[in-house]
Amino acid sequence: MNQLNLDHASAAVEFNKDEPRVDWHDETLWFVRTKRDRAAAQLPEWEQLREAASQIKNHVLSNMHDLLAQFEENAKQNGITVHWAENADEHNAIIHKLIQDAGVTRMVKSKSMLTEECHLNDYLTRHGIEVIDSDLGERIVQMRKEPPSHIVLPAIHLKKSDVGETFHEHLGTEKGATDPQYLTEAARQHLRDTFLTRKVALTGVNFAIAETGGFVVCTNEGNADMGAHLADVHIAAMGFEKIIPRAEHLGVFLRLLARSATGQPITTFSSHFHRPRPGQQMHIVIVDNGRSRQLGRPDFRNSLKCIRCAACLNTCPVYRRSGGHSYHSAIAGPIGSILAPNLDMKLNADLPFASTLCGSCSNVCPVKIDIHDQLYKWRQVLMKEGYGPGSKTAAMKAMATVLESPSLYRVAGKIGRGVLRFTPVLAENRFNPWYNQREMPEPPAESFRDWYINNKKV
Amino acid sequence: MTSREKILANIKANQPDLRPLPEQYTFVSTFPDLTKQFIDVLTFVGGRALVVPDYAAIRADLQAQYPNLKSVATTIPELADLADRTMTVSDPHELADLNLAIIEGPIAVAENAAIWVDEQQLPQRVAPMITQYLVIVIRQSTLVPNMHDAYKQLKVDTTGFGTFICGPSKTADIEQSLVIGAHGARSLTVYLLP
């Protein structure tokens, strides 16, 4: 099964073939969502914090140019080299060049969804550079040659027996081992050796501070710190929307981030990098890759407020029952479905339809992105641009023709009622997508119109 | 036009009209007992906290917790006799076999049990992650209620690196089972002096 080559609906069908596993996936993510609820309920000012975060981010979007210029100037004064990448290719080429300049062919990397978006690992591997992901979940999926299925919990689609098998193959752990403690210890030993021997380390960026020219990286494992503090060259890759005006605004975001993500009060490490350590080089790559285009779309620019907590994934009834890989995009779930069409409208036209529009995503979002409204608006844009799913387009057109003509509507109604009463097999078969998950309704003997006309006579 | 100029020009052309920063972005947290709140949260995240009267009590507890442990380093003069090595090294790789690091934390946050440390406390940035076991000594008088209070006191760029540490390193990446001791320290003990 390869969910990645299918559209969302077909991939979801694949995922749902193993029902106990879907139930487990659903329950596991719901458990994370309930942890988020408990953590949020502990702060009486939770809703005010969300509002403050949302307003700070609104300001950031409206002042992006000046904040980035200010950040660059201060970062340079701090001794950080600043690079700008217009797209994924340029981002990858800059990082490749920095690795070459360091005279090495290996790099250790901590979690960065941006590098997933840019397919950095593939690019570097093609150019003879070995990349090792150091976040445990990312390392697991990397060994399995899979992309992460979740932005915070990259291996959430796997059971411990899957991880045990993968580690047996790649790390030589005992066959059949499933104890998470034992498996984590094996990864710790393997990655410790990696941290100690790599001269170049790449990290993501959670927040970049315009006022001080520094950036913050949050992890629970300590892997970003282990990589960066032991390397001669630290490269940090950031989408330009990660900027915030001042350090004191971190108070708002760090109180929201981990609570929204996993229900923790804060991540184990919230590391603030401002200057390279003596003898070290520090680089920051600021990436656009379609973000400035999204900034120009009034209906969709709010998606750039995202702080990548994944609360919208955990709460989404569609994500929980279709799995991250069904979204065939670096960022899955509701937020990914409003970011992806900006990157490639045609390729990702199915994603805004992968939602019930229930609005739960918008309700848990710590920066108040109107996610479900944007999903709905993307559908309008995609249909108008001609990227709508073929069957849906044809059905909608037929429906429109029928609804436009009163006489056609009456005839269609009569046929429909007749078919359901006398030859139900014509509607109740696998070629009718509506029937796949539903019972067909009991047909009435006559239409409301006929009933009205008949009763008026009396 | 360079990529920098192109990106900044596109941003300038596409960004919406200026929206003000919110007036309220700090909040007041009130806990009846800051020390109790800190200890409760640290325990919840897998750390161990102990209120102690003086350094002698810390020494006694450390000797009981880690008897005969080798490769111990501290930056605290009052506990120097417990150390058999230094963290003040020019190459951070020299800390690869560090077993126990004992450091001080200048500010700690009651609401989430996060302790700030920067290069004034750390001879090497990697010390609190690379060590097998980590001990941080804080003073109850430096506890602040929440993160807003911490950032009011902190200047995050006083040194080139600083971090909030909350509990031992951990992961739940294997089937959501919590495992303490991912890549960083396998345990965190915090002593709270008056």
Side-chain angles (χ1 to χ4, degrees):
Chain A
M1 172 184 92
N2 188 352
Q3 283 187 287
L4 291 163
N5 297 328
L6 301 170
D7 70 0
H8 180 272
S10 314
V13 169
E14 283 296 320
F15 189 75
N16 275 271
K17 281 183 178 161
D18 188 345
E19 204 171 314
R21 204 172 172 111
V22 178
D23 290 345
W24 166 78
H25 188 263
D26 176 23
E27 282 159 19
T28 305
L29 287 155
W30 186 253
F31 174 63
V32 181
R33 155 74 207 267
T34 57
K35 286 201 289 186
R36 172 256 172 224
D37 290 351
R38 275 201 296 277
Q42 279 172 8
L43 299 188
E45 67 272 35
W46 183 257
E47 289 305 316
Q48 289 166 283
L49 270 173
R50 286 178 73 214
E51 184 57 33
S54 170
Q55 288 186 30
I56 294 169
K57 284 286 187 176
N58 283 337
H59 168 79
V60 167
L61 295 184
S62 71
N63 197 24
M64 191 69 81
H65 177 276
D66 291 0
L67 288 172
L68 284 169
Q70 186 191 1
F71 172 76
E72 181 187 38
E73 192 186 327
N74 289 326
K76 279 180 172 169
Q77 271 177 17
N78 288 339
I80 304 174
T81 310
V82 180
H83 309 260
W84 298 78
E86 231 193 317
N87 51 43
D89 284 344
E90 194 174 5
H91 161 267
N92 294 344
I94 289 168
I95 291 165
H96 184 209
K97 171 96 174 29
L98 289 171
I99 299 168
Q100 283 180 318
D101 289 350
V104 297
T105 55
R106 303 187 298 179
M107 179 174 81
V108 65
K109 176 167 151 270
S110 72
K111 193 160 16 173
S112 151
M113 291 320 295
L114 175 64
T115 61
E116 296 288 340
E117 171 188 320
C118 295
H119 302 288
L120 175 70
N121 285 15
D122 287 349
Y123 178 95
L124 291 178
T125 307
R126 276 204 308 276
H127 288 82
I129 309 287
E130 178 218 67
V131 186
I132 291 193
D133 280 313
S134 59
D135 172 87
L136 178 59
E138 283 217 311
R139 186 72 190 114
I140 294 167
V141 294
Q142 187 185 30
M143 283 175 179
R144 298 172 63 92
K145 297 191 169 33
E146 291 174 1
S149 69
H150 186 286
I151 60 178
V152 172
L153 316 163
I156 195 68
H157 59 295
L158 298 171
K159 306 269 265 189
K160 52 193 176 189
S161 52
D162 301 325
V163 179
E165 258 174 57
T166 305
F167 279 16
H168 172 66
E169 188 187 327
H170 293 270
L171 298 179
T173 52
E174 279 172 51
K175 192 165 176 57
T178 56
D179 176 31
Q181 186 88 42
Y182 166 76
L183 295 171
T184 302
E185 182 65 29
R188 177 184 168 102
Q189 300 303 338
H190 151 66
L191 286 164
R192 209 173 169 80
D193 180 59
T194 308
F195 292 129
L196 286 164
T197 51
R198 297 303 185 269
K199 297 202 181 324
V200 179
L202 186 140
T203 68
V205 169
N206 288 92
F207 305 98
I209 313 158
E211 172 196 41
T212 62
F215 58 93
V216 177
V217 183
C218 304
T219 72
N220 281 324
E221 299 179 5
N223 56 317
D225 288 281
M226 285 289 277
H229 303 325
L230 289 167
D232 298 338
V233 181
H234 175 188
I235 307 168
M238 67 176 261
F240 70 61
E241 80 281 13
K242 298 284 178 174
I243 201 90
I244 60 169
R246 297 199 290 273
E248 57 188 338
H249 295 135
L250 288 167
V252 173
F253 293 109
L254 291 185
R255 293 185 82 194
L256 287 167
L257 178 61
R259 287 185 172 98
S260 297
T262 57
Q264 290 172 259
I266 188 169
T267 48
T268 304
F269 301 100
S270 307
S271 293
H272 302 49
F273 295 84
H274 276 90
R275 291 185 283 284
R277 54 166 215 282
Q280 189 193 33
Q281 285 179 38
M282 199 176 271
H283 298 266
I284 191 147
V285 187
I286 302 176
V287 181
D288 184 334
N289 203 34
R291 286 163 174 75
S292 59
R293 182 171 59 234
Q294 189 88 323
L295 188 62
R297 293 187 166 122
D299 282 346
F300 305 114
R301 65 165 62 106
N302 274 348
S303 60
L304 297 173
K305 289 158 76 177
C306 177
I307 57 172
R308 304 290 190 264
C309 71
C312 62
L313 281 69
N314 302 338
T315 201
C316 179
V318 175
Y319 175 86
R320 282 187 276 115
R321 291 176 184 83
S322 59
H325 289 162
S326 65
Y327 292 80
H328 56 77
S329 168
I331 299 178
I335 183 68
S337 300
I338 57 177
L339 292 171
N342 176 55
L343 290 172
D344 189 326
M345 231 185 256
K346 187 165 179 238
L347 213 60
N348 298 307
D350 55 328
L351 296 183
F353 294 90
S355 166
T356 63
L357 302 181
C358 72
S360 185
C361 45
S362 306
N363 286 329
V364 296
C365 177
V367 291
K368 290 195 163 183
I369 302 172
D370 51 341
I371 305 174
H372 73 294
D373 288 334
Q374 292 191 39
L375 287 165
Y376 177 71
K377 287 174 185 164
W378 264 125
R379 294 181 186 184
Q380 323 296 310
V381 174
L382 292 164
M383 294 306 278
K384 209 173 278 172
E385 302 278 329
Y387 294 122
S391 59
K392 201 162 271 181
T393 311
M396 289 291 174
K397 272 199 183 127
M399 179 84 104
T401 312
V402 171
L403 291 179
E404 269 168 13
S405 153
S407 55
L408 252 184
Y409 176 77
R410 282 197 291 277
V411 172
K414 205 164 263 172
I415 295 173
R417 284 190 301 279
V419 164
L420 284 176
R421 284 173 73 187
F422 305 113
T423 52
V425 69
L426 286 179
E428 294 172 7
N429 63 61
R430 64 193 173 88
F431 297 108
N432 176 6
W434 187 259
Y435 179 67
N436 276 340
Q437 287 94 15
R438 299 174 187 85
E439 295 295 321
M440 296 307 287
E442 188 98 353
E446 56 184 355
S447 71
F448 172 76
R449 189 174 180 278
D450 293 341
W451 174 87
Y452 184 80
I453 292 166
N454 290 335
N455 279 270
K456 212 176 153 194
K457 279 183 205 152
V458 180
Chain B
M1 215 151 86
T2 63
S3 291
R4 176 188 183 278
E5 287 161 354
K6 267 193 251 179
I7 294 169
L8 286 173
N10 283 341
I11 288 173
K12 196 161 206 170
N14 286 347
Q15 70 188 21
D17 293 341
L18 189 65
R19 304 264 301 259
L21 277 166
E23 276 169 29
Q24 187 176 25
Y25 56 85
T26 62
F27 299 87
V28 177
S29 300
T30 40
F31 300 107
D33 182 344
L34 292 182
T35 301
K36 184 180 178 305
Q37 170 69 20
F38 177 90
I39 292 173
D40 286 351
V41 178
L42 187 69
T43 311
F44 173 71
V45 298
R48 175 172 171 260
L50 232 69
V51 175
V52 288
D54 51 26
Y55 285 104
I58 297 176
R59 182 178 297 107
D61 187 68
L62 279 173
Q63 281 166 342
Q65 291 290 320
Y66 303 102
N68 308 315
L69 188 69
K70 297 281 179 274
S71 196
V72 176
T74 182
T75 54
I76 304 175
E78 287 86 346
L79 300 172
D81 57 301
L82 293 173
D84 61 3
R85 62 172 294 166
T86 178
M87 281 183 272
T88 311
V89 290
S90 55
D91 179 355
H93 294 84
E94 289 175 46
L95 300 179
D97 59 351
L98 181 64
N99 281 326
L100 178 62
I102 309 166
I103 59 174
E104 283 177 289
I107 298 176
V109 184
E111 76 155 319
N112 59 12
I115 304 170
W116 173 261
V117 290
D118 65 23
E119 287 179 296
Q120 296 171 88
Q121 287 79 43
L122 302 173
Q124 274 292 347
R125 297 173 181 189
V126 81
M129 299 94 193
I130 203 169
T131 184
Q132 296 291 333
Y133 307 102
L134 178 63
V135 167
I136 308 180
V137 178
I138 65 171
R139 294 189 176 273
Q140 293 181 57
S141 58
T142 61
L143 278 171
V144 295
N146 66 26
M147 291 297 282
H148 310 297
D149 305 311
Y151 278 111
K152 260 176 229 159
Q153 287 191 23
L154 278 177
K155 209 174 160 299
V156 291
D157 57 348
T158 302
T159 69
F161 174 77
T163 185
F164 280 104
I165 300 178
C166 171
S169 106
K170 55 173 148 323
T171 181
D173 274 346
I174 301 177
E175 232 184 78
Q176 278 295 291
S177 311
L178 181 69
V179 178
I180 304 278
H183 301 303
R186 295 172 188 274
S187 73
L188 170 68
T189 306
V190 178
Y191 295 108
L192 295 99
L193 285 168

